[in-house]
Amino acid sequence: MQTPVLALKDSLVRESGSKVHHANIQAAKAIADIIRTTLGPRSMLKMLLDAAGGIVVTNDGNSILRELDIAHPAAKSMIELSRTQDEEVGDGTTSVIVLAGEMLHVAEAFINKSFHPTVICRAYNQALEDALAVIDKIAVSIDVNDRTAMLDLVKTCIGTKFTSQFGNVIADLALDATTMVGVDLGQGYKEVDIKKYIKVEKLPGGQLEDSKVLKGVMFNKDVVAPGKMRRKIVNPRIILLDCPLEYKKGENQTNAELVREEDWALLLKLEEEYIENVCMQILKFKPDVVITEKGLSDLACHYLSKAGVSAIRRLRKTDNNRIAKACGAVIVNRPEELQDSDVGTGAGLFEVKKIGDEFFTFIVDCKNPKACTVLLRGASKDLLNEVERNLQDALSVARNIIKNPKLVPGGGATELTVSATLKQKSSSIEGIEKWPYEAAAIAFEAIPRTLAQNCGVNVIRTMTALQGKHANGENAWIGIDGNTGEITDMKEQKIWDAYNVKAQTFKTAIEAACMLLRIDDIVSGIKKKQAPGTGQAPQKPKIDEEGDADNEQMIPE
């Protein structure tokens, strides 16, 4: 039997944990409520004021949460969820926060009833396993080469965004770009690196319909000597360097004592000979274009222009990598090591054009390029920025499908099917875990409920009708049309979600909810700022009580 003192101590610890749980759950719910209204095609927009005083108008979950400045650690970890989702699969950033918030919300009742968090987490993990099994069952495979089906899928992803009226244009751009840079690894695997090899260039002016995917790359540079070098070359031979074509000055490494005037001329002559030698090594390969990431001296410019070679200097490393992928060149470190196989001959056209006040270099019409540039045109900078954010999501969805060609129904249909299946299964679960398991099943309904709320329809009637249709396992494809709020078959409406995105959303949301539920105390390891000159002895580290857990002073501004 426990002694009274021990029993009292145990109850104190439990009280402590309970208070922290409530603080964490409230913080998570607050984050979910901020972006709840941005889910679905009829979602609201948020206007964000950034640190520099600029304004961003968007409904992209990740972009909104990135701008939030919140001190509470649980809220910060919720914001991290959205970032994780964005990096992993690029879509579903709002859904993951809404779902995680709901999972914590339904757990609150069990915390109040003194359920141990481990029991709740065990039930949640079981629910996650069963949910993934359900979406495996209802997923359908898709032929990656079927362009119409692929476009329908990408359009669904953009349908929830601000630029949904331009859905066709953006879907076309995303599909063309990802198909272009896809690399076949064999055994049915494909690698699509959209961060490295797809660059989005925004040029204000023109209409969004003028946007296109270039079969090659463009960058904001002009040739070194505009009057002497050609600005248009058909089928160019391109050499890429990442070394300087100028003489390295040895001011801080060499001492030279010049006695006669002729010695100075000799030094200069040696420099000139070095540069001439480097240029001749390059010109042996008869290039038309030489591009270097470093500097290029006037003398090198003279030798190259005399040989009819166009040169570009100080190019970004990332742009240089893209050019190499597009035209088949190899970036060379030292001119002495150049070989004929390093010269890029895959480009069809090198051209420098003036757009607005600036010069842009185009290396286009490449044969089988594995890097490309998406050129976006639009009326204003704000519109272009939002189109770019939406295009990034579309690119991610196209990449996910190419890597794992499976689809699940959108419009909340997947979540309703998962919810109905888990509710049926909960009756067969024995012990105390049955109740949290059933609560997790109900939490999945948060997504279709939020969609219904954002459409402005009667939420209770819509949800009851949907639950009725899914309860008897009638059709796993019945969901909400996000534009009208009507209950329809997602197959007919062609509203799809990528399997990868859905699986990642469920995993991230439930695992994060379990992690926050397992926290039973918050300890601050940050010392309070001490006024300079007050030579006090260092104090013992202070442990924040639960009451201070929500305090602003925990994390410094």
Side-chain angles (χ1 to χ4, degrees):
M1 188 183 147
Q2 269 187 328
T3 60
V5 178
L6 273 176
L8 178 67
K9 191 177 176 190
D10 192 39
S11 72
L12 279 174
V13 170
R14 189 168 295 141
E15 177 60 22
S16 140
S18 172
K19 272 193 179 179
V20 172
H21 284 131
H22 284 302
N24 286 350
I25 289 169
Q26 291 309 321
K29 275 159 65 178
I31 294 291
D33 286 339
I34 289 172
I35 64 165
R36 194 182 294 280
T37 56
T38 66
L39 187 75
R42 284 277 171 262
S43 56
M44 308 301 284
L45 294 168
K46 304 278 182 195
M47 184 180 270
L48 311 173
L49 297 171
D50 62 19
I55 293 173
V56 179
V57 178
T58 182
N59 68 351
D60 180 57
N62 187 39
S63 303
I64 295 163
L65 294 175
R66 246 194 342 238
E67 296 296 332
L68 288 184
D69 185 23
I70 288 181
H72 196 285
K76 282 196 162 176
S77 73
M78 282 289 282
I79 292 170
E80 275 305 311
L81 288 192
S82 158
R83 193 168 301 161
T84 308
Q85 182 79 0
D86 196 49
E87 281 171 14
E88 284 296 319
V89 288
D91 194 25
T93 48
T94 307
S95 312
V96 76
I97 300 287
V98 171
L99 192 55
E102 192 68 18
M103 287 287 168
L104 287 164
H105 174 61
V106 296
E108 195 167 16
F110 301 110
I111 297 286
N112 291 338
K113 289 176 185 164
S114 299
F115 272 55
H116 196 282
T118 313
V119 174
I120 302 172
C121 292
R122 222 171 19 234
Y124 274 14
N125 285 327
Q126 180 62 48
L128 172 61
E129 273 179 40
D130 294 343
L132 292 175
V134 173
I135 61 171
D136 266 335
K137 208 160 82 181
I138 62 169
V140 293
S141 291
I142 179 177
D143 178 14
V144 181
N145 301 319
D146 181 359
R147 190 175 172 85
T148 321
M150 292 285 282
L151 280 174
D152 286 338
L153 177 75
V154 179
K155 266 188 250 174
T156 308
C157 142
I158 311 163
T160 65
K161 307 292 182 206
F162 171 62
T163 52
S164 53
Q165 68 255 40
F166 309 119
N168 295 355
V169 181
I170 294 180
D172 274 326
L173 293 176
L175 206 52
D176 288 343
T178 41
T179 315
M180 204 178 287
V181 302
V183 179
D184 222 325
L185 301 177
Q187 296 176 335
Y189 289 106
K190 263 197 147 182
E191 182 56 50
V192 184
D193 196 331
I194 57 176
K195 277 203 170 73
K196 266 191 193 167
Y197 300 128
I198 298 179
K199 172 90 181 283
V200 179
E201 282 281 359
K202 298 169 292 190
L203 291 182
Q207 294 184 327
L208 193 67
E209 284 76 21
D210 301 337
S211 303
K212 59 184 176 218
V213 176
L214 302 173
K215 280 190 77 175
V217 289
M218 72 170 274
F219 44 91
N220 189 353
K221 284 276 177 198
D222 191 7
V223 290
V224 182
K228 298 174 187 169
M229 292 177 173
R230 290 178 291 169
R231 278 198 172 138
K232 184 172 182 179
I233 303 169
V234 180
N235 295 331
R237 287 170 62 81
I238 300 174
I239 286 182
L240 302 179
L241 304 169
D242 70 347
C243 57
L245 295 182
E246 53 191 354
Y247 193 77
K248 286 197 199 77
K249 299 286 183 205
E251 284 110 345
N252 54 356
Q253 293 156 345
T254 46
N255 281 329
E257 193 173 321
L258 303 180
V259 183
R260 297 171 307 157
E261 199 177 324
E262 298 87 70
D263 294 349
W264 178 248
L266 183 68
L267 267 180
L268 289 175
K269 193 170 173 230
L270 287 171
E271 281 186 22
E272 286 176 15
E273 279 174 5
Y274 168 77
I275 289 174
E276 185 181 6
N277 186 24
V278 168
C279 289
M280 289 311 144
Q281 280 168 341
I282 292 168
L283 293 172
K284 260 195 310 198
F285 295 93
K286 298 190 172 55
D288 296 308
V289 181
V290 172
I291 299 175
T292 177
E293 291 170 29
K294 306 286 195 311
L296 191 143
S297 68
D298 291 346
L299 191 62
C301 172
H302 163 73
Y303 286 123
L304 293 174
S305 64
K306 209 164 94 176
V309 177
S310 298
I312 291 172
R313 64 181 165 198
R314 298 204 174 89
L315 188 73
R316 283 201 194 108
K317 180 93 188 152
T318 49
D319 283 335
N320 214 9
N321 286 337
R322 270 190 287 274
I323 298 170
K325 277 276 183 187
C327 70
V330 176
I331 300 173
V332 179
N333 215 338
R334 294 165 60 190
E336 307 85 87
E337 294 172 358
L338 260 171
Q339 296 171 356
D340 210 70
S341 56
D342 299 336
V343 181
T345 53
L349 178 67
F350 165 85
E351 190 174 13
V352 179
K353 285 186 196 167
K354 190 173 187 185
I355 302 175
D357 296 337
E358 297 185 72
F359 285 96
F360 289 88
T361 300
F362 291 80
I363 296 174
V364 287
D365 297 340
C366 300
K367 298 173 207 134
N368 193 20
K370 289 297 165 204
C372 66
T373 300
V374 181
L375 183 58
L376 287 184
R377 306 301 306 267
S380 70
K381 273 192 179 162
D382 286 337
L383 177 72
L384 276 175
N385 288 339
E386 182 63 6
V387 170
E388 186 193 12
R389 277 190 287 273
N390 299 164
L391 179 65
Q392 288 298 343
D393 284 0
L395 288 169
S396 301
V397 167
R399 176 197 62 189
N400 293 335
I401 290 298
I402 288 171
K403 286 176 91 170
N404 186 358
K406 280 163 91 179
L407 302 181
V408 289
T414 304
E415 284 81 3
L416 284 161
T417 307
V418 166
S419 177
T421 314
L422 295 191
K423 276 181 198 165
Q424 285 172 0
K425 213 164 188 181
S426 66
S427 55
S428 64
I429 287 179
E430 293 175 1
I432 200 170
E433 286 166 28
K434 174 189 166 98
W435 310 112
Y437 184 93
E438 198 173 328
I442 295 166
F444 277 106
E445 291 174 1
I447 302 286
R449 193 186 322 121
T450 307
L451 277 173
Q453 278 169 348
N454 291 346
C455 291
V457 293
N458 186 322
V459 179
I460 296 170
R461 276 187 191 163
T462 308
M463 286 306 294
T464 312
L466 279 167
Q467 284 161 350
K469 285 200 181 295
H470 279 270
N472 51 17
E474 217 178 275
N475 189 347
W477 298 80
I478 299 288
I480 297 178
D481 182 340
N483 288 307
T484 58
E486 289 171 6
I487 296 171
T488 53
D489 189 323
M490 296 291 113
K491 256 185 190 161
E492 288 169 16
Q493 295 291 326
K494 293 184 178 169
I495 299 174
W496 310 89
D497 269 336
Y499 171 85
N500 275 21
V501 174
K502 206 50 93 183
Q504 185 69 36
T505 304
F506 289 179
K507 284 179 199 165
T508 311
I510 291 180
E511 283 168 12
C514 290
M515 184 188 72
L516 285 175
L517 285 172
R518 282 211 174 98
I519 297 168
D520 72 341
D521 220 334
I522 298 177
V523 179
S524 168
I526 296 166
K527 291 176 185 167
K528 298 234 167 69
K529 281 183 184 170
Q530 197 176 313
T534 55
Q536 294 178 353
Q539 295 178 334
K540 284 184 181 175
K542 175 181 177 286
I543 295 178
D544 275 355
E545 297 299 321
E546 308 76 50
D548 306 330
D550 224 349
N551 211 337
E552 291 283 326
Q553 292 164 334
M554 282 183 54
I555 291 179
E557 290 298 320

